[in-house]
Amino acid sequence: MTAKIIDGKKVSGIVREEWKVRADRLKKKGILPGLAVIIIGDNPASKLYVNNKIKACHEVGLHSEVHDLPNDISAEALLDLIEKLNELKTINGILVQLPLPDHIDDSKVLGTIKKDKDVDGFHLYNVGALMTGNAVFPPCTPFGVMRMLAYYNVPIAGQHAVIVGRSNIVGKPMAIMLLQEDATVTVCTSKTKDLEKHTANADILVVATGRPAMIKAAHVKPGAVVIDVGINKLESGKLVGDVDFEGVKDVASLITPVPGGVGPMTITMLVANTVIAAERDSGYAPDD
Ligand code: GUN
């Protein structure tokens, strides 16, 4: 079997258009959705992600602003900035790009973002809302994966979904979202014994480990849907995912490439969450 390749760029373009319609509806009522992105230090990958996020906001016609802070910024100064942005009427969404420098406590920072502006969905309130099936801001990467699966009509209810990686950003929320749609979910970690035994049972396999090409053809059930969330830069400069694309594409039925798979969807769902935040702030429902 040779897998059909999921076109993340195409799907994200289509989904972005849907959210542009919703943003335009707000703009006609005089409301311009606004996103503030805070980036600390000069991690090249973070810089690239933030540039792409801002570009997507421009494309959809949202207001966006970047607060580029030095690596040695104090926690107090960062929290002060967040508090200011929490109060600004022109800003509906606030995102602090992770990872943060070691001297700053992630949970304190994420908990300071007003829950109604938490477009990443990382505030504990929003984590709880997701857990109980009432998510307002689903975390962007798993939100994008769900949208992608829907676009390709991948059945979820009753399917066995296996997630490799248990991060707060991807693995855990991905598990909750798939569970919410009645998948049977297994989450594997770096300590899982006999990983292949689990992954080879997956109808839907989502991999988010940050370990280049660790999932090989032998890990994959013939006909499985394989979603690769990893983006790893090799010494040669080449970008690869966590899945050995060349080997696995001959086993899977559907597979995401890297780049051009999940990445563009993550960014599009950030636009979606910013528009949702503006709709909620302004009191306009999508069809008002
Ligand atoms: N770093 C890697 N992915 C993400 C994300 O989705 N949101 C934030 N804030 N930082 C990230």
Side-chain angles (χ1 to χ4, degrees):
M1 171 177 291
T2 296
K4 180 169 172 182
I5 296 175
I6 291 177
D7 188 340
K9 270 197 176 159
K10 181 180 109 184
V11 183
S12 77
I14 293 166
V15 175
R16 218 170 274 188
E17 219 23 68
E18 293 167 12
W19 287 96
K20 186 171 183 314
V21 170
R22 279 181 55 174
D24 287 347
R25 209 178 276 156
L26 282 179
K27 283 157 79 175
K28 281 204 193 97
K29 295 176 190 297
I31 295 146
L32 177 62
L35 173 71
V37 179
I38 300 175
I39 178 167
I40 300 163
D42 36 41
N43 176 331
S46 291
K47 292 235 173 223
L48 180 66
Y49 296 146
V50 167
N51 282 343
N52 287 339
K53 288 170 182 178
I54 298 298
K55 242 200 275 176
C57 286
H58 286 162
E59 215 180 285
V60 178
L62 310 188
H63 166 70
S64 61
E65 55 189 53
V66 181
H67 298 263
D68 198 337
L69 306 177
N71 202 55
D72 60 356
I73 184 97
S74 68
E76 292 68 31
L78 173 59
L79 296 179
D80 277 355
L81 172 61
I82 295 172
E83 306 267 16
K84 279 198 191 97
L85 295 168
N86 279 342
E87 299 310 317
L88 265 190
K89 290 265 176 288
T90 50
I91 293 299
N92 306 102
I94 302 170
L95 177 148
V96 179
Q97 185 66 27
L98 303 175
L100 294 176
D102 290 343
H103 68 282
I104 297 182
D105 173 9
D106 290 22
S107 57
K108 179 86 182 122
V109 169
L110 299 176
T112 300
I113 297 172
K114 195 171 173 180
K115 69 176 175 49
D116 301 313
K117 297 192 176 190
D118 172 35
V119 285
D120 257 330
F122 295 161
H123 185 290
L124 293 187
Y125 177 92
N126 287 316
V127 175
L130 175 73
M131 180 66 105
T132 51
N134 298 300
V136 175
F137 302 118
C140 301
T141 298
F143 191 11
V145 171
M146 295 305 285
R147 192 65 188 76
M148 203 175 226
L149 294 174
Y151 181 84
Y152 284 91
N153 296 312
V154 174
I156 294 174
Q159 299 295 292
H160 187 195
V162 177
I163 298 155
V164 188
R166 59 154 183 84
S167 70
N168 292 336
I169 295 180
V170 183
K172 288 179 198 167
M174 187 80 255
I176 301 299
M177 282 186 218
L178 287 162
L179 197 56
Q180 187 66 29
E181 294 201 14
D182 292 313
T184 301
V185 179
T186 300
V187 183
C188 300
T189 75
S190 58
K191 305 281 195 306
T192 295
K193 289 180 191 149
D194 201 357
L195 179 67
E196 192 177 312
K197 189 182 85 193
H198 297 284
T199 57
N201 253 319
D203 302 306
I204 301 168
L205 179 60
V206 182
V207 190
T209 63
R211 285 157 56 197
M214 66 164 290
I215 296 295
K216 312 285 186 200
H219 289 91
V220 177
K221 175 159 112 177
V225 174
V226 178
I227 306 293
D228 187 352
V229 180
I231 306 182
N232 309 287
K233 197 171 194 175
L234 301 182
E235 271 178 23
S236 63
K238 187 175 181 221
L239 287 181
V240 298
D242 298 347
V243 173
D244 170 26
F245 182 84
E246 285 309 315
V248 172
K249 77 175 187 343
D250 294 332
V251 182
S253 61
L254 262 178
I255 187 169
T256 57
V258 176
V262 174
M265 292 302 295
T266 296
I267 287 166
T268 293
M269 301 334 279
L270 173 63
V271 167
N273 280 348
T274 304
V275 174
I276 290 170
E279 287 174 349
R280 288 166 56 87
D281 268 354
S282 62
Y284 286 116
D287 43 10
D288 275 352

